[in-house]
Amino acid sequence: MKSKLLLCLFLLTSLLWQPTFAQARKAKERQASKTAPATTAVANSLLWEISGNGLKQPSYLYGTFHLLNDSYLSTTPEVKQHFEQSKAVVIEADIDSSKVMQLAGYMVMPENKLSELLSAEEYQLVATETKNVLGYDLAMLDHMKPVSLMLLLSVTEYKDLEAVKKFEDGQALDMYFASQGRSNNKKMFYLETLEQQMQLLYDHHSLDQQAQQLIAFVKSKDYVLNSQEELTNLYFNKDLQAMVAASEAYSKKMGEEDMAYMLDDRNKNWMTQLPQILKAQQTFIAVGAMHLPGNNGLIKLLQNAGYTVKPLQ
């Protein structure tokens, strides 16, 4: 059980981006479309070269899939090549095991219980799912926040998908770039703190909202897993546009609220940091793939800032 908790914590904001976070961008773009052009389509590529705007050497932007392990990189040698030649590495947050454990309190609710947040019928539904997937009685996890349990269930079942199992060796992609960067004495930059990511994932929604999300997940589990598998295959095809479309369809089906705080707002904040990093040295930026496309995606924001951004795959 401890290993599953650690896995969930290590992955942080990654665990929900596949099916839901694209809605944030779409909501804002629909509003912006009244005064701005439609979203520019992007090429089928996860690896992008950043040049111009005074850069002496090109840098690179790579869209990761947070639940995919680094054995996947054997299929894309150009990614490793550009990563290895870069002098600095940028990732979303410093994922350090000691820090993770210090912040594990975000996952629990000492003053509340799942048995009090859910109706008797809902509790039994979740209890059955928990027993079937994790092998534990729900009573043992009664003080776990609903979103924490949802992520544990999601990750555990997601890892059994055939599309993912063939790349089960190694570390999660983001952790690979972090550990290899440190091992090779590259300069390391983190766009956010681990605590900021914990707050976004575990504290943004009220416990009542989390409870309803948990119930919706359990009731629609087959649809959720099918959507996740579809998105994984679209990632393998490097099709960012189709990933956005699939995510929007999922969001509509699941009735998700606007989650712009998870994509658009963070992208804009990251852009206050990236120009100085890029100016100083050749850099490899590895962030979740859904941060790349769209009018408020990093590709477009970098272009708006004067950089030339072109696909390399």
Side-chain angles (χ1 to χ4, degrees), residues 3 18 25 33 37 64 71 85 92 114-115 121 123 133 136 145 154 160 191 198 201 205 254 268 271 291 307 309:
S3 65
Q18 300 114 296
R25 179 177 294 114
S33 64
T64 66
S71 53
Q85 73 185 43
E92 293 184 23
L114 286 169
S115 55
E121 181 180 356
Y123 186 86
V133 176
Y136 287 89
K145 287 181 180 177
S154 177
D160 286 333
L191 296 169
M198 289 287 203
L201 186 57
H205 295 103
M254 298 296 287
K268 292 174 182 178
M271 282 301 299
H291 288 281
Y307 298 97
V309 186

Side-chain angles (χ1 to χ4, degrees), residues 76-93:
T76 57
E78 68 275 19
V79 175
K80 276 194 173 183
Q81 173 191 341
H82 291 303
F83 170 70
E84 290 169 358
Q85 73 185 43
S86 297
K87 305 299 181 184
V89 179
V90 175
I91 61 173
E92 293 184 23

Side-chain angles (χ1 to χ4, degrees), residues 13 106 192 195-205 261-262 266:
T13 57
Y106 278 97
E192 298 167 339
E195 186 168 11
Q196 286 175 316
Q197 293 204 338
M198 289 287 203
Q199 290 170 344
L200 282 171
L201 186 57
Y202 293 104
D203 282 350
H204 181 79
H205 295 103
Y261 70 98
M262 291 301 295
R266 294 169 70 203

Side-chain angles (χ1 to χ4, degrees), residues 6 14 48 53 68-69 82 94 98 104 108 116 121 134 137 157 179 187 217 232 247 254 258 286 305 307 313:
L6 282 174
S14 63
W48 297 73
N53 201 22
L68 198 61
N69 288 344
H82 291 303
D94 183 7
S98 63
V108 297
E116 296 172 351
E121 181 180 356
L134 301 178
D137 292 330
E157 298 214 83
S179 62
K187 291 185 178 179
F217 167 81
T232 304
S247 296
M254 298 296 287
D258 182 8
Y307 298 97
Q313 294 174 316

